[in-house]
Amino acid sequence: MKLFDLTGRVAIVTGGNGGIGLGMASGLLNAGASVVIAGRNKEKSAKAVALLGERARAIEVDVADEKSVRSLVDQTISAFGRVDILINNAGIAIRKQPEVYTLDEWRQVIDTNLTSAFLCSQSVYPHMVKVGGGKIINIGSILSIFGAPFAVPYGATKGGLVQMSRSFATAWAKDNIQINTILPGWIDTDLTETARVQIEGLNDRVLARTPAKRWGSPNDFAGIAVFLSSAASDFVTGTAIPIDGGYSISG
Ligand code: NDP
């Protein structure tokens, strides 16, 4: 098998109907995989599938709901017979000062960004074991590393994903399953469109600190998704890789 060839592989990308998820899904498709686009918004998912072509299929899911996640994996197995790759990408941000979050808002972020990845990983596990291994990619953030005044629950989930990935990686290495985390910097998507409005001076701050002198784009994630999904990364596990144009190494 060629190092980066994903022919015959089946991937689930949560939140694959837009932004970073869509960028990664298109990378996997280009490398030969079939891809399940797993999101809540049917219309957005249908548009993504139309764009991606015949090896893409939409399955509706709420990643914060255990039943819905189990059903996503069952439907994937019914449609494709296997699952080799899981990208836990779905995520939300509620940006506020720490003292004003409600418990409900805290739980919403934790359930959507962190518990979802636990549930999806647990649900695909027996199927990955059945085919002799697999790849799980979790989407953290540079807020897995840094703090921000508007990101108490978000940062908790993104830091948690890194540590959770490491524990999963140690547990499932025996099953030939590699689990890694990608840490995106500031990327132009629906999620950050609101951030540009909510965080004063954000655009200037991002450009000033990013050595690449630009925001990232969803397409910047196609290559890393293929690498971490392919045989090229078979000895890479438990890592957290910033994809941020140098933001996190800039003083
Ligand atoms: P988007 O808002 O474009 O994508 C988020 C995706 O998550 C949507 O496609 C959405 O699908 C899906 N989603 C949200 N909640 C649920 C849910 N309960 N069930 C199923 N799907 C859900 O933003 P990004 O592409 O920017 O974000 C993707 C990931 O990257 C997130 O985890 C985010 O935290 C992370 N990230 C983004 C950064 C950035 O600068 N953009 C920086 C660092 C990390 P639907 O609309 O169908 O619900």
Side-chain angles (χ1 to χ4, degrees), residues 36 38 152 221 230:
V36 171
V152 164
F221 291 82
S230 69

Side-chain angles (χ1 to χ4, degrees), residues 14-22 24 38-42 44-45 60-65 88-93 95 111-113 116 139-143 154 157-158 161 182-193 215-216 218 221:
T14 69
N17 56 12
I20 293 172
L22 184 55
M24 292 190 292
R40 289 172 303 185
N41 183 325
K42 273 188 184 169
K44 240 170 87 182
S45 296
E60 206 181 326
V61 70
D62 176 357
V63 292
D65 180 86
N88 288 311
N89 163 76
I92 56 167
R95 301 180 191 93
D111 288 352
T112 307
N113 296 7
S116 61
I139 307 305
S141 165
I142 41 169
L143 291 174
Y154 185 85
T157 63
K158 295 303 184 178
L161 278 167
I182 293 174
L183 313 181
W186 285 99
I187 317 302
D188 229 339
T189 66
D190 289 353
L191 192 82
T192 46
E193 203 177 295
W215 286 61
F221 291 82

Side-chain angles (χ1 to χ4, degrees), residues 189-204:
T189 66
D190 289 353
L191 192 82
T192 46
E193 203 177 295
T194 53
R196 284 175 191 259
V197 176
Q198 292 170 349
I199 307 164
E200 211 186 318
L202 180 65
N203 186 49
D204 291 346

